[in-house]
Amino acid sequence: VVVKPFAEIVTKGRLDSAMYILLSGSAYMEAGKRNREYSAGQVFGEAEVLGVSKAYNNTVYANNLCILAALTSADLWNVVQDHPQDALLLEPLCNLEAEAESAE
């Protein structure tokens, strides 16, 4: 996925099930007092890809030209079906994301 400078990458409230991996460029999230900067190698949308959240909680904007990889929930679960032993590793992540969602 290629995103132009200052464009929205994900939009708060948008229903989706994808996680994004920032391959190059930088991005930022504005969430009241919780602003956050993202650089290459960082991810966002974990709760959505795991199915913990149905919609994005914040809007993420590109600071400059960004190249991202998207991992959809369907793709993740296809891989998990091929590697069921690894599904056990996702359970604690789902619990952590659920706790974070309920705290907001």
Side-chain angles (χ1 to χ4, degrees), residues 18-19 44-55 57 97-98 101:
M19 176 179 86
F44 48 90
E46 304 94 322
E48 291 73 22
V49 78
L50 294 172
V52 174
S53 179
K54 300 292 182 204
N57 293 318
E97 287 294 334
E101 289 287 312

Side-chain angles (χ1 to χ4, degrees), residues 3-92:
V3 180
K4 294 179 181 178
F6 311 111
E8 291 182 358
I9 300 171
V10 299
T11 305
K12 181 178 180 174
R14 188 178 94 205
L15 299 176
D16 202 352
S17 64
M19 176 179 86
Y20 292 89
I21 305 158
L22 188 56
L23 301 175
S24 68
S26 65
Y28 67 96
M29 172 190 72
E30 289 182 352
K33 295 179 183 177
R34 268 190 45 220
N35 296 336
R36 176 153 186 207
E37 293 284 329
Y38 294 96
S39 57
Q42 293 187 296
V43 300
F44 48 90
E46 304 94 322
E48 291 73 22
V49 78
L50 294 172
V52 174
S53 179
K54 300 292 182 204
Y56 293 110
N57 293 318
N58 301 293
T59 300
V60 178
Y61 302 90
N63 278 325
N64 44 42
L65 184 68
C66 290
I67 300 175
L68 304 107
L71 175 66
T72 67
S73 183
D75 291 337
L76 174 64
W77 298 120
N78 284 336
V79 170
V80 168
Q81 286 178 350
D82 292 340
H83 304 278
Q85 69 280 7
D86 293 334
L88 298 174
L89 299 172
L90 294 175
E91 186 175 351

